[in-house]
Amino acid sequence: MLIPHDTRIALDTVVDLVNTAPDGGRGDGLGDVAALYAFVRSHDVSGVGELGEPDLRAVRDVRNRFADVFAATDARAAAELINELVASAGTTPQLTDHDGYDWHVHYFAPGASVADHLAADCGMALAFIVVAGEQDRLRRCEAPDCGRAFVDLSRNRSRRYCDSRTCGNRLHVAAYRARRKEAAAG
Ligand SMILES: [Zn+2]
Ligand SMILES: [Zn+2]
């Protein structure tokens, strides 16, 4: 699957955004406005002005809606959620080559809030995945107690666990122990 560079960046952003949600032992990665500033800086979200509590609330709301997209069981369900998200954000597709990046399309409207910016551009990146017939690549980690979102870009779409080392390793170890136990019992 060929994914344009900017779509890839937007996919990374939406995965990281969904994974800031508090869950079990994990606190809220967007706990305050400072955390929101850090998030937009580290993801190179362009054109973001001053942020406040309303932005934080709006971004958390968008985050929940993106989480629903990752939970969607089929392309139709995902498409409906993405359509709603993108429609509520409003879009003004615009070709740009700012800051040394090659030509790419911004979908957010000029002067959009950071929440609308994320909803429009990350929503369109997810739309691209659905159009490519790849909605089932939007996954949740299957490791117990994890459930983090990720996009499976592996060739044979076989990835079951998120990037975090603990998930991969922990499961390797569990599988190894299970095999040993079986061997010992047999
Ligand atoms: Zn850009
Ligand atoms: Zn995981």
Side-chain angles (χ1 to χ4, degrees):
M1 177 172 49
L2 186 72
I3 300 181
H5 176 71
D6 52 317
T7 301
R8 185 111 186 203
I9 290 173
L11 286 175
D12 286 344
T13 302
V14 69
V15 163
D16 289 348
L17 176 65
V18 168
N19 288 336
T20 62
D23 180 32
R26 291 199 298 269
D28 194 333
L30 294 178
D32 54 22
V33 175
L36 180 57
Y37 270 117
F39 182 87
V40 300
R41 257 200 311 272
S42 67
H43 291 84
D44 243 346
V45 179
S46 60
V48 174
E50 204 149 311
L51 302 174
E53 288 292 333
D55 292 297
L56 186 61
R57 279 194 297 275
V59 169
R60 284 184 186 148
D61 177 56
V62 164
R63 174 176 73 184
N64 290 341
R65 296 173 71 182
F66 277 127
D68 291 343
V69 176
F70 276 82
T73 49
D74 59 23
R76 184 161 305 278
E80 270 171 32
L81 293 165
I82 294 167
N83 278 343
E84 280 170 26
L85 252 169
V86 171
S88 65
T91 55
T92 306
Q94 196 174 14
L95 276 159
T96 173
D97 63 348
H98 66 96
D99 295 325
Y101 289 105
D102 214 339
W103 287 108
H104 60 286
V105 179
H106 281 175
Y107 292 97
F108 61 92
S113 69
V114 65
D116 283 349
H117 179 142
L118 291 170
D121 280 51
C122 295
M124 289 307 296
L126 293 175
F128 178 86
I129 296 289
V130 173
V131 168
E134 309 281 5
Q135 173 267 334
D136 66 338
R137 289 182 186 271
L138 306 178
R139 304 230 173 113
R140 289 280 186 177
C141 178
E142 291 179 23
D145 308 324
C146 181
R148 290 165 72 86
F150 68 93
V151 180
D152 176 13
L153 297 175
S154 67
R155 194 171 292 225
N156 57 0
R157 55 180 81 196
S158 59
R159 230 179 107 192
R160 293 169 57 201
Y161 308 111
C162 74
D163 268 340
S164 107
R165 256 175 191 221
T166 45
C167 287
N169 280 347
R170 200 167 51 177
L171 283 141
H172 280 282
V173 170
Y176 173 73
R177 289 214 181 109
R179 275 198 305 273
R180 288 234 322 209
K181 218 167 150 188
E182 238 170 65

